[in-house]
Amino acid sequence: MPERRCAAAPHGVVLAETDAEAARLAGYLVAGEARFTRHFDRPIGPYVVAAAPPVVDAAPLTAAGFDHALTWPAGEAFREATRCGIEQATRSFAASQNMDPVQTRQVVDNALSRAPDDRALAAIDSAMMPHELGHLLFTAAFWPDDRPEGGARPKHYGGPGPDWLDEAAAIVMEDEATTDQRRAQFAQLMKGETVASIGPLDARPILTDLSGLLERPHPGLARLNDPAAPRPPMTGIPGSGAQVGVNFTPAGSAGSGPRPGALDTVFYIQVRRFVDYLIERSGQPTILAEIARAMASGETMETWLQEAGSAHGLPASVAALDDDWRRYIEAA
């Protein structure tokens, strides 16, 4: 692909417009691969991350021996999509407040002046690119024969594993800044404070209910199965086929209820702290791999805890795990 520039990570490559952009993105993948190895200790198959637009045809990449091809929105197209999403969200807010055209233009201009800059967008790349790659690597490592059924309603948001575990595999791939933010937001929500990206929501009943987390589907699953279901604002990137989720809060709207996608955010925050709990209680950075191996062989969390929980420093049932989780987070 001579029109694209290429940079390598240990097990994958990045295709981008410039050498500098490819090298920057590859650096995030190097860090992500190290986290995957630390937590799962499984081989990583060759992969490609292609910055879009334009969309790279995956067929020749597959023929060349790459296991995974991930399209990643990047560059000016990403920034433009973000600006469009912010304008859309702000105009919707202005209409809900019955603002006239002049007022609407003022609030839109003000919102756009606070749009994420290049540094903020790089932070998204640093966290979310490894996150999305983590989903692919995790499924390939533990469910290598998984083939989604065409046209079937998905039973899981990501791979065939439990949604919390699939999301955990992606979340442990995120960078330190995002990890620290999720932990801090968990503490805020436990104190009853409002997190801007979530909005007014009493999340404590959700966060303390570990048994529910282990069984409930990803909040986004309903959107996959019901196109009419409420969803966070999404803006398409021209020519890429990719979508950018925009979570923008217009000034003055703090009392308007939880943000679109708020339950998704709470889900990620809870999973992050549950991963911390599992690692701390077991003393094993690879505890997720132990659980994934059992889930892939057909066990449930209940049967695994009964058989192996005590050997890993964990309670022997989901009910006991739930009780210990509540003690853990209350003491934090």
Side-chain angles (χ1 to χ4, degrees), residues 1 10 28 42 68 70 129 131 143-144 167 214 244 277 281 297 314 322-323:
M1 298 183 178
Y28 303 143
R42 287 292 182 99
H68 311 291
L70 175 65
M129 181 185 294
H131 176 115
W143 285 270
E167 215 44 73
L214 298 179
V244 176
Y277 164 84
R281 286 291 199 253
S297 67
L314 297 168
D322 194 305
D323 290 340

Side-chain angles (χ1 to χ4, degrees), residues 182-234:
R182 294 202 191 281
R183 289 169 176 157
Q185 289 173 337
F186 186 96
Q188 286 179 264
L189 293 172
M190 286 297 293
K191 294 176 184 176
E193 298 175 0
T194 297
V195 173
S197 60
I198 295 173
L201 175 68
D202 181 9
R204 276 183 61 96
I206 300 173
L207 298 178
T208 56
D209 180 15
L210 183 61
S211 298
L213 174 68
L214 298 179
E215 295 185 359
R216 80 170 62 99
H218 188 297
L221 183 61
R223 297 194 296 272
L224 288 180
N225 288 324
D226 181 5
R231 63 191 63 217
M234 300 293 289

Side-chain angles (χ1 to χ4, degrees), residues 129-310:
M129 181 185 294
H131 176 115
E132 295 304 328
L133 181 64
H135 285 298
L136 300 178
L137 298 184
F138 176 70
T139 298
F142 294 95
W143 285 270
D145 299 324
D146 177 59
R147 294 290 184 274
E149 296 181 15
R153 289 168 62 88
K155 298 178 181 179
H156 298 282
Y157 187 73
D163 282 359
W164 75 266
L165 184 58
D166 188 83
E167 215 44 73
I171 283 172
V172 297
M173 295 277 282
E174 295 173 352
D175 62 356
E176 291 184 9
T178 303
T179 299
D180 290 343
Q181 182 184 60
R182 294 202 191 281
R183 289 169 176 157
Q185 289 173 337
F186 186 96
Q188 286 179 264
L189 293 172
M190 286 297 293
K191 294 176 184 176
E193 298 175 0
T194 297
V195 173
S197 60
I198 295 173
L201 175 68
D202 181 9
R204 276 183 61 96
I206 300 173
L207 298 178
T208 56
D209 180 15
L210 183 61
S211 298
L213 174 68
L214 298 179
E215 295 185 359
R216 80 170 62 99
H218 188 297
L221 183 61
R223 297 194 296 272
L224 288 180
N225 288 324
D226 181 5
R231 63 191 63 217
M234 300 293 289
T235 301
I237 296 183
S240 74
Q243 297 277 311
V244 176
V246 179
N247 196 341
F248 182 77
T249 306
S253 63
S256 59
R259 309 285 168 255
L263 293 179
D264 300 53
T265 305
V266 172
F267 187 80
Y268 299 145
I269 291 170
Q270 186 181 20
V271 169
R272 174 66 258 178
R273 287 300 282 139
F274 183 45
V275 171
D276 293 338
Y277 164 84
L278 290 171
I279 293 174
E280 290 179 31
R281 286 291 199 253
S282 69
Q284 296 175 270
T286 56
I287 188 63
L288 289 178
E290 297 293 331
I291 297 172
R293 189 177 296 111
M295 301 295 106
S297 67
E299 291 191 50
T300 65
M301 193 67 170
E302 183 70 31
T303 59
W304 180 78
L305 287 170
Q306 290 173 359
E307 297 170 3
S310 59

